[in-house]
Amino acid sequence: MTKEVLLHLLQEGECFHLEAKKAERDLPASIWESYSAFCNTDGGIILLGVSEDKKKNLSVTGIQDSSKLIQNFWNQINNKQKVSDNLLFNHQVYPFTIDDKEIIVIEVPRADRHYKPVFISDNLFSGTYRRNADGDYRCSREEVKAMLRDQADITADTTIAEKIDWKELDKDTIRRFRMRFRNMKPGHVWNTLDDVEFLLKTGALKRDRNTSGICTTLAGILMFGTEQLITEQFPNYFLDYREVEDENRWTDRVFSSSGDWSGNLFDFYFKIIDRLTSSVKVPFKLQNGLDRIDETSAHEALREALANALIHADYYGRRGVVVVKDKDKLVISNPGTLRITLDEALEGGVSDPRNTVLFKMFAMVNVGERTGSGLQNLRYVWKDMGLPEPRLVEKFSPDQIYIEIPFTNGDSFSLLESEDDFHKGMVRESPVSYRRVPDKVPDKVPDKVPDKVPDKVPDKVPDKVPDTLTDNQIRILELLSENNRLSMMELSEKVGISKRKILDNINKLRDQNLIQRLGDNRTGYWNVLIK
């Protein structure tokens, strides 16, 4: 790590990827909680010899004997009673001198899924931590179990569902799947098989080696089952597609528990895919000079994005697969975390599906057959179209992966749960924030980072509160007058309306020069221009 990067980290303060500890003479006990948290989340940096004051500013206090402290660190991290796994190499723990004071830098990597959870004090369930904003929290049993499931190389969807007869699967879905397979591959030898033999080839069914009986796999239930059958195995299973007109109304909706269709993955995909891609413009283009081409690379990329969400979802997770579309963007979310690093996901070429049988079955009908290139392809296509780059986000507690795909170049409110989550560092998105280095770095760490203040107050500020303001807008003014650092989420809770409505009202108050923002989204505050 260079001095410039380190100074920038100190200037930014503690965050999702940075933890500072005073540790003047000894290792603090909390260092192991932070180590576990960074390993189980997305990696990060621990700085020893750095203190944080009440205003969240960092200052270098120094280490008295860095070599002794480093040796003590290695002794403890290699003790299985202290930490379950040491994932560090020598070059990731080192002393650093700033302003004639020594500190210790510990670069903690994100653990490979085979090593998670990394826990402390020889206690799996009470000693497993994760990172949330600028602190560490103890994982719930549900989170620990999810990490344990992801350790296995044989994915969960291959598991046999006990006491489920394959005849309980939805026959119409099986017929539609076979019809599509036959149309895609008319000469394939599997087309001559009966349903049982065909489903055995797909992985939807398995032969019991002890009894030679036919058993249904979890993948078979997800792909060909009914909603009732699926929720018996996955109580939190839910599929939801919405076309949003505003935050409270939708013009079209398809969800798995509606009761008027099967509710399984195969039918969900083909019920919504045309709706999902209908916003993509198709230029007039002929193939061989005769037939119009109705498909573009954008259609293909969107199909891949939806398939990836269904294939990589953790169906034991609390949240279902949710697809929300409005005129400006599409947001696809699925339960579970990334099984590879975010950088690997963005670069493409690495595939580690959570449900390998589902992957195989979708690929059989030419859906999601690209290995590890779906997101990379989507980014390239959107760049060629001149649109903003799609955004991939990993969120924890509950574990979710979001991909937000813009349809326009205009700025609009995110359909993700809260923009404040990003500013507080509660989610992980690309690019990695702690790798951003400013063009110009100060020679030393400033005592206080100055707020970014506008040049002047707007010329026209009303003398009194306009009569046209709504009750909610007046309430927002009152709250910001009492506490000018309230976040959108806090305002939403106090006013009793959604975060999107809060943002709309904030923008209207700014347009009328009643409030202004001083500083950035993370450290700034609101200035109420009228009392």
Side-chain angles (χ1 to χ4, degrees):
M1 180 184 294
T2 65
K3 181 179 180 181
E4 287 78 11
V5 171
L6 187 54
L7 288 173
H8 178 60
L9 289 175
L10 291 168
Q11 183 177 336
E12 288 293 302
E14 285 190 341
C15 62
F16 191 57
H17 292 99
L18 180 68
E19 175 70 23
K21 299 182 184 296
K22 189 175 181 179
E24 187 176 359
R25 294 183 178 85
D26 300 307
L27 291 175
S30 62
I31 188 175
W32 305 116
E33 295 175 5
S34 297
Y35 172 77
S36 168
F38 281 140
C39 286
N40 293 325
T41 313
D42 195 53
I45 295 173
I46 301 173
L47 299 179
L48 302 182
V50 176
S51 299
E52 182 184 54
D53 62 23
K54 293 181 180 180
K55 295 182 179 180
K56 304 291 185 180
N57 295 317
L58 297 182
S59 60
V60 176
T61 51
I63 298 290
Q64 285 195 358
D65 188 343
S66 61
S67 60
K68 180 181 177 181
L69 214 59
I70 289 175
Q71 184 59 50
N72 187 18
F73 175 82
W74 285 119
N75 290 339
Q76 293 195 49
I77 199 172
N78 287 313
N79 179 359
K80 292 289 185 179
Q81 301 299 312
K82 178 69 71 173
V83 184
S84 62
D85 279 292
N86 174 16
L87 305 182
L88 299 177
F89 294 98
N90 287 336
H91 69 270
Q92 292 171 308
V93 182
Y94 52 90
F96 208 103
T97 302
I98 296 181
D99 297 335
D100 298 325
K101 296 178 181 178
E102 265 199 330
I103 67 171
I104 295 173
V105 180
I106 304 172
E107 298 179 1
V108 183
R110 175 180 179 138
D112 182 273
R113 64 177 175 84
H114 297 92
Y115 294 100
K116 291 181 183 177
V118 174
F119 55 93
I120 64 174
S121 303
D122 202 25
N123 196 316
L124 175 64
F125 286 103
S126 67
T128 298
Y129 290 80
R130 267 186 174 166
R131 192 73 175 169
N132 195 349
D134 57 355
D136 309 318
Y137 73 92
R138 184 179 284 111
C139 291
S140 65
R141 293 182 71 89
E142 179 184 350
E143 289 177 282
V144 174
K145 288 179 180 179
M147 286 186 261
L148 291 172
R149 285 195 302 272
D150 277 344
Q151 282 185 359
D153 288 323
I154 299 175
T155 57
D157 66 337
T158 65
T159 304
I160 290 174
E162 300 292 341
K163 300 179 182 179
I164 300 296
D165 192 322
W166 79 270
K167 294 178 182 178
E168 296 181 64
L169 300 178
D170 188 73
K171 292 181 176 57
D172 287 336
T173 305
I174 296 171
R175 177 181 55 80
R176 285 189 290 270
F177 184 92
R178 295 204 63 171
M179 185 182 300
R180 181 168 288 272
F181 180 81
R182 187 179 298 111
N183 291 337
M184 296 283 182
K185 303 168 184 178
H188 202 288
V189 66
W190 290 357
N191 290 324
T192 62
L193 301 176
D194 61 27
D195 281 348
V196 170
E197 291 300 323
F198 181 82
L199 293 175
L200 283 168
K201 296 295 186 184
T202 68
L205 303 181
K206 270 186 177 181
R207 293 191 191 277
D208 188 316
R209 293 186 177 181
N210 296 321
T211 65
S212 298
I214 302 298
C215 302
T216 308
T217 64
L218 292 180
I221 293 174
L222 287 164
M223 197 71 161
F224 302 116
T226 61
E227 193 267 346
Q228 180 178 351
L229 197 64
I230 296 170
T231 53
E232 288 176 7
Q233 305 296 321
F234 303 95
N236 298 315
Y237 173 85
F238 186 63
L239 307 175
D240 191 7
Y241 171 79
R242 282 170 274 165
E243 290 187 17
V244 178
E245 184 173 292
D246 57 40
E247 64 186 285
N248 295 317
R249 294 188 300 170
W250 54 80
T251 57
D252 191 12
R253 191 178 185 196
V254 177
F255 57 102
S256 55
S257 58
S258 63
D260 55 357
W261 62 287
S262 67
N264 59 48
L265 297 184
F266 180 81
D267 286 343
F268 179 71
Y269 178 89
F270 286 102
K271 281 180 79 72
I272 74 167
I273 192 61
D274 289 338
R275 294 172 167 95
L276 186 145
T277 57
S278 61
S279 297
V280 179
K281 296 179 180 179
V282 181
F284 184 79
K285 189 176 181 181
L286 296 179
Q287 186 177 34
N288 301 324
L290 296 173
D291 300 321
R292 178 171 178 174
I293 299 175
D294 293 324
E295 292 287 310
T296 68
S297 54
H299 289 83
E300 183 181 343
L302 289 175
R303 286 198 298 267
E304 192 83 10
L306 175 60
N308 280 340
L310 298 176
I311 291 166
H312 292 285
D314 178 2
Y315 291 101
Y316 290 101
R318 269 189 281 159
R319 302 284 180 93
V321 177
V322 180
V323 183
V324 182
K325 176 186 174 184
D326 74 3
K327 64 181 185 299
D328 295 322
K329 67 175 68 64
L330 172 72
V331 176
I332 303 174
S333 65
N334 63 267
T337 59
L338 291 170
R339 284 161 64 92
I340 57 178
T341 68
L342 183 59
D343 293 330
E344 288 173 330
L346 293 171
E347 291 170 5
V350 179
S351 180
D352 189 9
R354 180 169 276 111
N355 301 291
T356 54
V357 182
L358 289 179
F359 179 87
K360 173 187 175 181
M361 288 193 286
F362 272 116
M364 286 175 63
V365 289
N366 292 353
V367 173
E369 69 274 15
R370 291 168 176 258
T371 305
S373 60
L375 180 58
Q376 184 185 43
N377 182 53
L378 179 65
R379 295 169 68 207
Y380 287 157
V381 170
W382 252 241
K383 182 178 180 180
D384 289 342
M385 292 168 63
L387 292 173
E389 183 174 309
R391 185 167 61 162
L392 179 67
V393 178
E394 185 178 31
K395 190 173 184 292
F396 303 92
S397 189
D399 298 344
Q400 284 178 290
I401 300 169
Y402 292 85
I403 183 164
E404 186 175 78
I405 305 168
F407 290 147
T408 68
N409 282 300
D411 294 330
S412 60
F413 185 74
S414 175
L415 290 178
L416 298 180
E417 290 191 5
S418 171
E419 286 292 336
D420 290 323
D421 287 350
F422 291 95
H423 306 322
K424 292 178 180 178
M426 294 176 68
V427 296
R428 162 79 155 98
E429 65 169 321
S430 58
V432 184
S433 59
Y434 63 79
R435 291 184 184 171
R436 293 184 189 145
V437 181
D439 294 333
K440 206 170 183 181
V441 180
D443 295 330
K444 64 177 183 178
V445 180
D447 295 331
K448 183 179 179 181
V449 180
D451 290 320
K452 182 181 177 183
V453 181
D455 295 332
K456 61 179 181 178
V457 175
D459 294 330
K460 295 181 180 180
V461 177
D463 298 327
K464 61 178 183 177
V465 176
D467 297 332
T468 56
L469 293 187
T470 66
D471 291 341
N472 287 335
Q473 290 166 358
I474 293 172
R475 178 62 177 150
I476 290 171
L477 285 175
E478 292 172 348
L479 289 169
L480 292 179
S481 296
E482 296 169 2
N483 182 355
N484 61 7
R485 294 187 182 273
L486 288 173
S487 68
M488 296 289 182
M489 186 181 298
E490 291 167 331
L491 285 170
S492 172
E493 293 172 354
K494 292 178 181 294
V495 179
I497 60 177
S498 69
K499 293 181 283 292
R500 185 164 184 171
K501 280 190 175 179
I502 288 290
L503 183 68
D504 290 340
N505 285 309
I506 285 287
N507 288 335
K508 289 173 183 177
L509 293 173
R510 295 174 86 169
D511 291 342
Q512 297 180 64
N513 292 330
L514 297 175
I515 59 174
Q516 66 179 161
R517 183 71 179 179
L518 304 182
D520 59 29
N521 286 321
R522 190 173 70 86
T523 61
Y525 59 92
W526 294 101
N527 183 25
V528 179
L529 302 175
I530 188 168
K531 303 298 182 184

